[in-house]
Amino acid sequence: MAESQTAPATPAKAEPNHGMRIFLVWIVLALVADLLIWFVWKPHLPPGDMSTSAQHQQFDIAVLALAAAPVMIFVWVYFAYTLIFWRHKKGDEDEDGPPIFGHTGIQATWIGGTAVIVLAAFVFGTVELIAPAGAGAGEGPNPVWKPSGSNYLQVQVIGQQWQFTYRYPQFGGMESTQLVLPNNRPIQFNVTSLDVIHSFWAYQLGVKADANPGVNNVAYTTAKQLGGFTVRCNELCGIWHGAMFNSGQVVSPTAFQTWAHLTEAAEARSGLLRALPPYRLVYDPTVIPQLGVTLTKVSGITGAAGYYYPPQDPVTP
Ligand SMILES: [Cu+2]
């Protein structure tokens, strides 16, 4: 008491270490958020984990969230700390704080930190595009990234107003309105269109590829789970675009072989295989309406706008 009475002026209360306080609150919250993102949120993130490409997409979204959450939490913590501790109090001088212009440490930290984040995102994104063979996206007619091995199942996806059909060149070029795939075998989708621009989007497989007339757009994936998935057209393609969807199935490799052989045999017996246009990577749409005449005779089905149109599933043997 005596000492303070004799002091020339009341010394300013020592400033607490604001930086350390903010850091401690931030590190705890950021850690909790990242743990929640990884262990609680990630398993539920779309598009799920039904295929290699879907698994990678789920992983990518989770990693980006892991990186973004601490940044966002830092902004929130700093904002809350400012509101609580640095708000204007009665008796405060109406002066700005000391300028931080020229503070080398803060500048270097800012430039260094943001550079590391952006470069890391660039490297991560590039690896994640290449490692899962194009990440389930259409790579055009000459894919740069392919799955290892050569035991692909080739499936041609044909878009037309307003339906997808699927041809299997390794099974006599038979055609189905149902997409059936074997588990655990790399699939090569050859996506094309007979009329306008469509987009093949096998949602749970994490595959999306534009279907353009005259173009063979290649996408890869490997299914990792049995079960159903949905296929939607993802490009506005005319009045019934919204109705252009169907479903697919991932089945065991033996069930797939049985289905494919049975379908091929049934289409051979019915004459449909002969009536279908020969398998090509792209088709000339101007020829296709004429083929519809033959097909109509064979299967009794006519197509939209008089076009070539596929058989209905299931084809009974
Ligand atoms: Cu479409």
Side-chain angles (χ1 to χ4, degrees):
M1 276 306 266
E3 203 177 293
S4 73
Q5 278 166 354
T6 55
T10 312
K13 219 169 79 185
E15 280 285 313
N17 189 339
H18 296 295
M20 181 55 73
R21 284 171 159 194
I22 291 171
F23 173 78
L24 288 175
V25 175
W26 168 75
I27 194 88
V28 170
L29 290 180
L31 200 66
V32 169
D34 275 1
L35 288 171
L36 286 175
I37 285 168
W38 196 257
F39 292 105
V40 180
W41 197 35
K42 179 173 170 274
H44 305 286
L45 276 174
D49 55 358
M50 200 173 179
S51 72
T52 47
S53 32
Q55 285 168 359
H56 274 271
Q57 287 164 23
Q58 198 179 54
F59 174 76
D60 297 346
I61 300 170
V63 168
L64 290 181
L66 278 195
V71 175
M72 191 176 69
I73 286 170
F74 175 77
V75 173
W76 284 353
V77 168
Y78 190 88
F79 185 52
Y81 193 90
T82 305
L83 283 180
I84 295 166
F85 294 101
W86 292 331
R87 62 193 308 132
H88 188 274
K89 295 188 194 76
K90 223 176 177 178
D92 277 355
E93 293 166 23
D94 289 331
E95 268 181 26
D96 289 339
I100 57 169
F101 177 77
H103 193 297
T104 315
I106 289 177
Q107 287 178 357
T109 308
W110 180 258
I111 292 168
T114 49
V116 164
I117 291 173
V118 170
L119 289 176
F122 165 71
V123 172
F124 176 76
T126 307
V127 170
E128 281 297 284
L129 180 64
I130 297 169
E139 295 185 55
N142 301 304
V144 179
W145 303 297
K146 303 172 185 181
S148 51
S150 57
N151 185 30
Y152 308 148
L153 175 74
Q154 288 181 315
V155 180
Q156 181 172 53
V157 178
I158 303 172
Q160 57 187 310
Q161 290 172 317
W162 286 274
Q163 185 156 348
F164 283 114
T165 58
Y166 310 97
R167 287 191 82 171
Y168 293 75
Q170 291 147 326
F171 295 87
M174 63 87 165
E175 180 157 15
S176 167
T177 51
Q178 204 198 357
L179 179 53
V180 179
L181 302 174
N183 203 15
N184 279 321
R185 181 174 169 190
I187 314 286
Q188 176 183 307
F189 290 111
N190 294 85
V191 184
T192 190
S193 165
L194 299 184
D195 39 44
V196 299
I197 298 172
H198 303 272
S199 178
F200 170 66
W201 187 20
Y203 180 80
Q204 289 87 346
L205 298 184
V207 172
K208 194 188 270 182
D210 285 346
N212 297 326
V215 177
N216 169 37
N217 193 11
V218 181
Y220 295 99
T221 198
T222 304
K224 286 290 169 188
Q225 273 174 35
L226 303 178
F229 56 88
T230 52
V231 174
R232 289 189 171 276
C233 180
N234 196 49
E235 183 73 55
L236 185 57
C237 59
I239 193 162
W240 293 114
H241 162 68
M244 188 167 166
F245 62 91
N246 60 12
S247 62
Q249 278 264 311
V250 175
V251 298
S252 72
T254 42
F256 172 77
Q257 291 291 330
T258 310
W259 171 83
H261 285 303
L262 280 177
T263 308
E264 183 186 353
E267 292 185 8
R269 267 199 305 281
S270 71
L272 199 60
L273 275 189
R274 278 190 304 282
L276 284 170
Y279 181 80
R280 295 278 185 277
L281 289 176
V282 296
Y283 300 94
D284 180 357
T286 59
V287 178
I288 286 162
Q290 301 160 22
L291 289 163
V293 178
T294 326
L295 271 190
T296 305
K297 275 190 211 150
V298 174
S299 62
I301 296 162
T302 183
Y307 278 15
Y308 145 70
Y309 215 66
Q312 293 294 305
D313 277 341
V315 178
T316 39

